[in-house]
């Protein structure tokens, strides 16, 4: 009997119920504490609650899922017929989520391969979808995990934030720290590289930053087939405009997603963030 491989991820993939349902992906939510309330990282979410919390000066606390929550997910997958599990998660450099998954994997009823995507949001999400497609085609767990790792490594995520303040407050600013001080008003273009946030370019105005963001994605895509995901937080008009611009300019666009990120990532970027993930395109 061929092994049945289940794919598990965490909520920072922001794939949505339609995609996870179609590909039978189990999602374990990360948590965030807003205004004294611990909530799961789900979309849609209470934008007013997040905005109110971000306007305060106290830190917003995000929390990895406990190993017990992963253990429950693995047990459900096994009870549903899975003989192997591939668990793909956000960068270990940004969160301890992958460590919780590894702890739970030790006691799981079936073998679990845990993959650190070294990415987040749709950089993680596209890797999860690629893994789920491989699992659906009957690939064994080792191959499914390899597909997830290759897809994440081949993806590029660049993004714009209105201010670096939220990244600074959340302690996720990494090597962006050299922009702090007098440069907090700058409009930076950032990249997620090897699991950490790095500075790509420094731009003085939002309009120039957003135009440059589109140009960078077009340059990265070139003439190859690509999947593209536009991500935002409370910036639907910006995201729509970017989607339309990229759709018109990318000659071999395979798929385009527009998704709103949830409160866990939003707590560290603030409203107005606009990001793009690009990865080599492939047919379903």
């Amino acid at each position: 009997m061929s092994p049945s491989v289940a794919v598990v991820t965490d909520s920072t993939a922001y794939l949505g119920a339609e995609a996870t349902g179609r590909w039978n992906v189990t999602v374990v939510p990360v948590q965030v504490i807003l205004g004294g309330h611990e909530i799961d990282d789900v979309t849609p979410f209470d934008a007013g609650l997040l905005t109110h919390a971000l306007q305060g000066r106290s830190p917003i606390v995000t929390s990895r899922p406990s190993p017990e929550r992963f253990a429950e997910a693995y047990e459900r997958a096994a009870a549903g017929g899975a003989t192997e599990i591939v668990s793909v998660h956000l960068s270990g450099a940004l969160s301890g989520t992958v460590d919780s998954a590894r702890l739970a994997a030790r006691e799981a009823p079936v073998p679990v391969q845990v993959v650190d995507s070294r990415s987040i949001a749709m950089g993680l999400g596209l890797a999860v979808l690629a893994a789920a497609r491989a699992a659906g085609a009957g690939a064994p767990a080792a191959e499914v995990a390899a597909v997830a790792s290759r897809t994440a490594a081949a993806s590029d995520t660049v993004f714009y934030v209105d201010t670096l303040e939220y990244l600074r407050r959340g302690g996720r600013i990494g090597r962006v720290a050299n922009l702090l001080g007098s440069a907090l008003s700058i409009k930076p273009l950032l990249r997620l590289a090897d699991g950490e946030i790095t500075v790509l370019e420094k731009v003085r105005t939002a309009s120039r930053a957003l135009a440059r963001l589109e140009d960078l994605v077009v340059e990265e895509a070139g003439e190859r087939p690509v999947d593209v995901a536009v991500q935002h937080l409370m910036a639907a008009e910006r995201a729509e405009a970017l989607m339309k611009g990229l759709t018109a300019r990318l000659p071999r666009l395979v798929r385009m997603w527009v998704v709103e990120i949830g409160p866990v990532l939003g707590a560290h970027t603030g409203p107005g963030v606009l990001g793009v993930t690009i990865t080599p395109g492939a047919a379903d």
Side-chain angles (χ1 to χ4, degrees):
M1 182 178 176
S2 299
S4 174
V5 180
V7 176
V8 175
T9 190
D10 60 76
S11 58
T12 65
Y14 299 122
L15 287 171
E18 182 179 350
T20 56
R22 176 186 177 188
W23 292 105
N24 197 29
V25 174
T26 297
V27 179
V28 177
V30 183
Q31 288 76 47
V32 59
I33 299 174
L34 299 175
H37 303 285
E38 183 175 81
I39 62 173
D40 284 344
D41 184 34
V42 296
T43 54
F45 61 94
D46 188 337
L49 181 61
L50 177 60
T51 300
H52 179 75
L54 288 171
Q55 289 171 344
R57 303 308 299 176
S58 59
I60 297 173
V61 179
T62 56
S63 175
R64 73 182 81 177
S66 67
E68 289 75 19
R69 295 194 80 164
F70 281 109
E72 291 170 2
Y74 299 157
E75 289 167 4
R76 287 196 305 270
T83 55
E84 298 177 294
I85 297 170
V86 174
S87 202
V88 189
H89 300 290
L90 78 153
S91 172
L94 299 175
S95 167
T97 297
V98 72
D99 294 326
S100 288
R102 287 176 176 140
L103 285 172
R106 296 175 185 173
E107 305 299 328
V110 296
V112 180
Q113 294 200 38
V114 178
V115 178
D116 181 348
S117 72
R118 307 292 293 168
S119 192
I120 197 171
M122 285 299 283
L124 165 61
L126 294 177
V128 170
L129 289 181
R133 285 193 290 268
E143 183 177 340
V144 172
V147 166
S149 294
R150 286 197 303 269
T151 302
S155 299
D156 191 19
T157 296
V158 294
F159 63 103
Y160 159 84
V161 291
D162 274 333
T163 173
L164 289 167
E165 173 64 15
Y166 301 111
L167 283 167
R168 182 192 65 78
R169 284 164 58 183
R172 298 302 196 276
I173 206 156
R175 284 174 279 178
V176 183
N178 65 323
L179 281 177
L180 289 176
S182 62
L184 271 176
S185 62
I186 207 165
K187 303 299 181 183
L189 290 173
L190 307 173
R191 168 173 275 149
L192 189 63
D194 195 26
E196 296 185 351
I197 298 167
T198 62
V199 181
L200 186 60
E201 294 185 9
K202 307 173 188 179
V203 185
R204 288 293 177 185
T205 67
S207 60
R208 289 181 181 178
L210 296 174
R212 183 60 182 145
L213 178 62
E214 182 176 315
D215 289 342
L216 287 167
V217 174
V218 172
E219 292 168 10
E220 173 69 17
E223 299 297 321
R224 62 191 174 118
V226 291
D227 290 341
V228 173
V230 175
Q231 300 134 97
H232 73 95
L233 179 64
M234 304 180 205
E237 290 186 6
R238 281 178 175 176
E240 181 77 8
L242 181 57
M243 180 273 289
K244 289 179 178 178
L246 290 173
T247 299
R249 295 179 65 186
L250 295 175
R252 300 189 67 189
L253 177 65
V254 179
R255 301 180 196 80
M256 170 70 76
W257 288 266
V258 178
V259 300
E260 185 166 29
I261 64 173
V264 163
L265 186 51
H268 296 296
T269 63
V273 61
L274 192 63
V276 181
T277 298
I278 180 170
T279 195
D284 275 336

